[in-house]
Amino acid sequence: MKLNTRTNWLLLLSVLLPVFLASCYKKPVVIETGQMTIGINGQMQTRIIMTGTPVYQFMDDYQTSEYLVTTSDTIRSFRLNSTLVKSISEFAGNGKAWTFKGSCEEESRSIVKILTIKMYNDFPGMAFFLVQYINEGKENVTVKKWVNHAYKIKSAKDKPDFWSFQGSSTGERKNWVLPVNYGFQQRNYLGMNDPDYGGGIPVIDLWRRDAGIAIGHTALVPKQVSLPVDMTKDSLAADICIDYGYSEECVLHPGDTLSTLETFVSLHHGDFFKTLRQYSLFMQKKGIHMPESEPLAFEPMWCAWGYMRKFTVDEIIGTLPKVKELGFTWVTVDDGYQQAEGDWDATPVKFPRGDADMKKLVETIHSYGFKAQIWWSPLAIDPESKLLAQQPDLLLKNADGSPQLISWWDSYYMSPVYQKTLDHTKAMVQKFIGLWDYDGLKLDGQHLNACPPDYNPLHGLAHPDDAPESVPAFFKMIFETARQIKPDALVQLCPCGDAMSFYNIPYTNQFVASDPVGSVQIRSKCKTYKALAPQTAYFGDHVELSDNGSDFASTIGVGGVPGTKFTWPKDNPYSDESNLLTPEREKDWKKWISLYKERMLSTGEYLGKLYDIGYDIPETHVIRKADTLFYAFYSGKWQGTLKLKGLDNYTYRIFDYVNKRDLGIIKPDNPALEITFNNYLLILAFPDKTLK
């Protein structure tokens, strides 16, 4: 049929009108918090810029940052239909919330996307995202995963391109602070990555020399998300995101709504410290309670693990005079006292009278003026244990019905959410702290950080994921039980090699370097924990695990509590390693413990924003006590200028407090020091207000 001119114009108008209306949203909506500017365009794509002088560009253009992956395709394209902004007053304070609503209209389906972004006055530079997808079509949509904050971050061509914080846990026991260059890839899955490794801190931070960007989620329980970092496809940029894959089929029926976790993006200068500090403060506003400082947790520790599992009671008692002489105040009885994992009664081989002999050992430790700590690996149950024979229903089971292995102990997991597990565990705490009279617990094992889903039908869970999400509540029960018996009980949580689950942090009053693979890990883990919970003690673990087995400087200089597992006057003949305290080492140990007690840097304020742990060379940490600043510099060999940041407008006297050397004065117009050192330099700077 031939159309007349009027008809042609009407037809053209019907085609152009939707395009015109859509063009109303072509001009991006721009929202700001602190130095962060987020643009949202008509396709519901985002672009993030850090303002300042100069402007810091993280991405060249708008990016599809939040989307759904289905069994058939990826739903990325949405048209923005409306925007609403309102003032809010919530748990995190006053702020604003923007709601962006758009749609994906196709022949076979209709998906509505609602993006809510909240910004709070008390958390400048952070934006909190919640994304919802509504199936308004007539067909089911089967979702494989959702993705938030999918950003391609430009390299500024630094060397390395980026430094990063990646707080996931695997059997590789990698550093948490890593350089990122072309070829780098890490999944950062926070579920189980190996039979007994999983969990961590749900934040990744990628920073250049000029500025950084971080993303994470703010759920109040652990979630099995991934936060991958990938620089394998583009040598000029790194890809990051948060993705949540569904382990079971997720079907969006017509009318159903899928909501992501609340996630966040933040911008900053310097390294990851500010990100973790702000994240922790926000989570505390949301309901996470950080542990209070426990004075006893700052005292130096000796552990009998140097004698290994075949220790004898006589070896422990025989070492106590030397432990006291060197200035240690905690004594730990480690692995080897028990009958089996799960059977935590004292073995008759070492304690013939059982409880009576164990109590006698604790009395002896106390008689020297020490506090006594006992090693324990809860949730582990040996296949040959009496406990498992009597209560096989304790086992956490996989989907195929098999028990989950804890490879390190050749044991199985007990379900952390099953009432009988909780009853058994509580009884053990009552035995250790109440009956045996220990003053603290050393909870040990990488399996403590997380657990897999529990499919054991006897446990009556609404969903298998209730088990991993309930691990923090398990530790809450241990912590509260111990503190009810002894209000000052020490509860040390050592998830060996793991980045401690953020959600377990409230239920320990002493962090641990957790089997570091060298001094770099001791220092970077300390910076991490000082950001998350600055008032909680950080134990640098046994000095024998540091570089050269003797690097007290890396624990003491960053504000850690020193520890050792030395043996004396000889090693256990059945031990496969030597930890013998030689005369030379004895002199060194005594010097460092005396120095630690004199300065007690572990109780000072850690100033983590002053130096970038990646790009600033040499690596530097600073602690403030009153008006004195303590600087710790680390480098294999250093000759040159050290810049002392953080000083007030005074002339400062500089003192090498390890070697008792006066290093002169520095003035406010040039706070620098020309010096040479090997491995480390620990100095203090105090203002001399009599000098100008």
Side-chain angles (χ1 to χ4, degrees):
M1 181 177 68
K2 187 176 180 179
L3 301 177
N4 59 32
T5 303
R6 182 172 181 275
T7 304
N8 285 338
W9 275 109
L10 289 173
L11 181 61
L12 182 62
L13 185 61
S14 70
V15 173
L16 293 178
L17 185 59
V19 176
F20 172 76
L21 292 174
S23 73
C24 294
Y25 284 103
K26 282 189 176 179
K27 185 177 181 181
V29 179
V30 177
I31 59 179
E32 297 179 343
T33 172
Q35 288 186 276
M36 178 193 290
T37 297
I38 302 177
I40 298 92
N41 68 12
Q43 289 74 51
M44 297 190 76
Q45 296 173 310
T46 63
R47 185 184 185 193
I48 298 176
I49 295 172
M50 189 174 192
T51 57
T53 306
V55 172
Y56 303 93
Q57 299 281 0
F58 289 102
M59 48 193 73
D60 287 324
D61 204 350
Y62 284 84
Q63 302 180 359
T64 303
S65 51
E66 285 73 40
Y67 57 87
L68 281 182
V69 179
T70 74
T71 52
S72 58
D73 64 353
T74 300
I75 307 176
R76 296 175 179 271
S77 180
F78 292 87
R79 184 185 66 195
L80 179 61
N81 297 325
S82 66
T83 302
L84 176 68
V85 59
K86 65 177 182 179
S87 296
I88 56 175
S89 181
E90 300 179 344
F91 64 90
N94 297 326
K96 288 186 178 180
W98 286 262
T99 301
F100 303 91
K101 188 174 182 179
S103 59
C104 175
E105 303 286 348
E106 298 175 354
E107 221 176 271
S108 60
R109 66 187 176 196
S110 175
I111 303 293
V112 170
K113 176 181 179 180
I114 301 174
L115 168 61
T116 301
I117 302 177
K118 294 182 179 180
M119 296 176 174
Y120 299 96
N121 299 340
D122 291 342
F123 293 91
M126 297 185 79
F128 301 87
F129 284 46
L130 178 65
V131 189
Q132 296 173 296
Y133 299 93
I134 305 171
N135 183 1
E136 292 194 350
K138 297 180 180 180
E139 304 291 333
N140 291 342
V141 177
T142 303
V143 179
K144 292 176 64 177
K145 70 177 180 179
W146 56 259
V147 176
N148 284 2
H149 306 295
Y151 303 133
K152 183 178 288 292
I153 308 302
K154 292 173 58 175
S155 167
K157 298 183 180 179
D158 297 320
K159 292 187 182 298
D161 288 278
F162 304 94
W163 277 96
S164 67
F165 172 82
Q166 303 184 54
S168 60
S169 306
T170 73
E172 296 178 87
R173 300 190 176 190
K174 287 185 178 180
N175 290 351
W176 308 345
V177 179
L178 294 165
V180 174
N181 285 310
Y182 181 60
F184 183 94
Q185 187 175 41
Q186 188 160 300
R187 184 186 179 202
N188 294 312
Y189 177 54
L190 297 185
M192 299 302 292
N193 293 297
D194 292 298
D196 38 2
Y197 287 88
I201 300 165
V203 176
I204 56 171
D205 195 320
L206 200 68
W207 71 92
R208 308 179 307 213
R209 192 181 295 274
D210 60 354
I213 184 169
I215 58 176
H217 78 72
T218 65
L220 289 172
V221 294
K223 296 292 182 180
Q224 298 174 81
V225 303
S226 296
L227 296 96
V229 177
D230 189 340
M231 204 175 175
T232 59
K233 300 172 186 175
D234 187 346
S235 62
L236 300 178
D239 293 299
I240 60 175
C241 72
I242 301 173
D243 77 58
Y244 181 83
Y246 290 92
S247 57
E248 299 177 357
E249 191 175 76
C250 176
V251 179
L252 270 183
H253 301 95
D256 284 354
T257 299
L258 180 152
S259 295
T260 70
L261 301 175
E262 181 185 66
T263 58
F264 74 87
V265 57
S266 68
L267 304 183
H268 61 92
H269 293 292
D271 64 24
F272 66 96
F273 184 87
K274 181 179 178 181
T275 293
L276 292 189
R277 183 85 284 264
Q278 290 295 96
Y279 166 71
S280 178
L281 290 172
F282 179 82
M283 295 300 286
Q284 291 176 60
K285 292 276 190 180
K286 201 170 183 180
I288 297 288
H289 299 286
M290 288 298 164
E292 295 182 2
S293 174
E294 178 53 63
L296 293 174
F298 294 92
E299 298 181 5
M301 314 184 84
W302 174 77
C303 181
W305 181 237
Y307 293 114
M308 309 296 284
R309 286 191 179 93
K310 293 186 178 180
F311 75 83
T312 67
V313 173
D314 287 343
E315 284 173 331
I316 293 176
I317 294 174
T319 314
L320 296 182
K322 185 60 66 176
V323 174
K324 188 173 184 66
E325 179 186 337
L326 295 183
F328 294 91
T329 49
W330 276 95
V331 167
T332 302
V333 176
D334 213 280
D335 187 5
Y337 69 86
Q338 75 279 14
Q339 297 178 13
E341 283 73 44
D343 296 341
W344 298 106
D345 294 318
T347 175
V349 175
K350 298 175 183 177
F351 302 91
R353 297 187 303 144
D355 292 342
D357 281 346
M358 180 61 82
K359 290 169 68 176
K360 183 179 179 182
L361 172 59
V362 176
E363 288 173 4
T364 302
I365 294 171
H366 284 160
S367 72
Y368 281 84
F370 297 124
K371 293 290 184 181
Q373 182 185 49
I374 189 166
W375 175 91
W376 181 30
S377 187
L379 287 181
I381 185 167
D382 193 288
E384 306 302 320
S385 66
K386 292 179 290 185
L387 180 63
L388 182 58
Q390 295 165 0
Q391 298 187 60
D393 53 326
L394 294 171
L395 287 178
L396 180 151
K397 290 193 175 181
N398 298 311
D400 62 4
S402 64
Q404 176 71 17
L405 179 67
I406 300 174
S407 61
W408 188 263
W409 308 121
D410 295 323
S411 296
Y412 298 134
Y413 271 91
M414 295 189 285
S415 175
V417 74
Y418 188 39
Q419 188 59 49
K420 288 186 179 180
T421 301
L422 297 173
D423 293 342
H424 161 78
T425 304
K426 186 172 185 176
M428 292 303 99
V429 178
Q430 291 167 337
K431 176 188 281 286
F432 299 145
I433 305 294
L435 180 62
W436 290 353
D437 200 26
Y438 278 95
D439 307 292
L441 303 172
K442 175 184 177 180
L443 310 180
D444 192 44
Q446 65 271 8
H447 69 286
L448 300 178
N449 216 44
C451 77
D454 182 9
Y455 291 87
N456 191 330
L458 298 176
H459 298 166
L461 302 185
H463 192 278
D465 286 348
D466 288 351
E469 293 183 8
S470 296
V471 169
F474 175 81
F475 288 108
K476 179 181 181 182
M477 181 272 294
I478 292 176
F479 186 79
E480 290 181 348
T481 302
R483 304 276 286 183
Q484 285 167 2
I485 301 169
K486 288 191 176 182
D488 61 351
L490 177 68
V491 180
Q492 179 193 96
L493 183 50
C494 180
C496 311
D498 288 321
M500 182 189 286
S501 169
F502 175 77
Y503 303 95
N504 295 341
I505 284 177
Y507 310 116
T508 174
N509 48 25
Q510 188 184 68
F511 303 127
V512 193
S514 296
D515 293 308
V517 294
S519 295
V520 168
Q521 284 195 355
I522 293 172
R523 301 192 297 264
S524 62
K525 289 179 179 183
C526 183
K527 185 160 194 173
T528 300
Y529 291 130
K530 293 292 185 182
L532 294 171
Q535 301 305 315
T536 305
Y538 170 73
F539 178 51
D541 216 326
H542 308 142
V543 71
E544 290 81 2
L545 298 171
S546 67
D547 293 353
N548 301 314
S550 60
D551 184 15
F552 280 107
S554 279
T555 291
I556 293 173
V558 300
V561 178
T564 181
K565 57 178 180 177
F566 73 79
T567 58
W568 183 87
K570 60 182 180 179
D571 287 316
N572 182 293
Y574 301 102
S575 173
D576 56 7
E577 66 179 46
S578 176
N579 295 290
L580 190 62
L581 188 71
T582 63
E584 295 77 19
R585 290 166 78 84
E586 180 177 339
K587 182 179 179 181
D588 209 28
W589 267 229
K590 185 178 293 186
K591 164 191 165 183
W592 281 105
I593 299 307
S594 175
L595 189 68
Y596 170 73
K597 288 184 166 183
E598 177 186 358
R599 300 296 177 180
M600 290 300 293
L601 298 189
S602 58
T603 62
E605 179 188 3
Y606 182 89
L607 304 181
K609 297 178 185 179
L610 289 180
Y611 290 88
D612 183 331
I613 198 171
Y615 288 111
D616 283 343
I617 298 174
E619 178 188 332
T620 308
H621 303 257
V622 186
I623 293 168
R624 177 166 54 207
K625 296 194 76 175
D627 61 354
T628 300
L629 272 66
F630 294 81
Y631 292 82
F633 300 97
Y634 301 96
S635 177
K637 186 172 184 179
W638 178 264
Q639 182 175 2
T641 304
L642 299 177
K643 294 183 178 179
L644 275 61
K645 300 180 183 180
L647 298 176
D648 291 327
N649 194 31
Y650 298 113
T651 296
Y652 280 80
R653 294 193 176 275
I654 310 301
F655 185 66
D656 174 350
Y657 61 89
V658 176
N659 299 300
K660 312 298 184 187
R661 292 188 299 160
D662 187 342
L663 300 179
I665 62 172
I666 58 173
K667 296 188 175 181
D669 59 343
N670 184 28
L673 188 66
E674 291 290 330
I675 201 161
T676 299
F677 68 86
N678 292 326
N679 299 323
Y680 66 86
L681 174 69
L682 306 185
I683 63 173
L684 62 83
F686 65 93
D688 189 335
K689 299 177 182 179
T690 66
L691 300 176
K692 295 184 179 179

